Amino acid sequence: MRAILDVVFIILNLYTWVIIANVIFSWLYAFNVVNSNNQFIAMIGQTLYNLTEPLLRPIRRFLPAMGGLDLSPIVLLLGIFLIERVIGLYIYPYVF
């Protein structure tokens, strides 16, 4: 059972990095640092969008509009950190 929880930790850690990569990519795209006409860059952006948008969209519905500031990745990261702490403190020690 601990092996399954270890895999859950790895998946949550990888998804954290995907969220961070999506935020950085969106900044690079917004400030025109990356060439948006490049097919490889567009593929990376679409992949990051497809991986993160299903969890970010419901959070955006509940957050108030902050102008151009999107706080949904921060809320999602805090949720992931909370899940990791709950598993690590309350579930992991009691699994044989």
Side-chain angles (χ1 to χ4, degrees):
M1 187 67 180
R2 283 193 178 187
I4 294 171
L5 291 176
D6 288 336
V7 170
V8 170
F9 279 132
I10 291 170
I11 290 170
L12 289 173
N13 191 13
L14 287 174
Y15 198 72
T16 298
W17 287 107
V18 169
I19 294 168
I20 292 170
N22 185 35
V23 169
I24 292 172
F25 184 83
S26 69
W27 290 342
L28 293 175
Y29 189 79
F31 293 121
N32 229 2
V33 175
V34 294
N35 184 5
S36 59
N37 294 329
N38 187 341
Q39 187 176 8
F40 181 70
I41 298 297
M43 183 181 65
I44 290 173
Q46 188 63 35
T47 302
L48 290 172
Y49 178 82
N50 289 338
L51 287 173
T52 57
E53 192 60 24
L55 292 178
L56 291 175
R57 188 178 306 124
I59 296 171
R60 285 187 187 123
R61 277 189 277 148
F62 292 109
L63 285 179
M66 301 286 287
L69 189 61
D70 184 17
L71 298 178
S72 59
I74 295 172
V75 173
L76 183 57
L77 286 175
L78 289 174
I80 289 173
F81 295 152
L82 176 70
I83 291 170
E84 286 178 347
R85 294 289 292 186
V86 167
I87 291 173
L89 293 175
Y90 298 111
I91 298 173
Y92 197 81
Y94 302 108
V95 174
F96 296 92

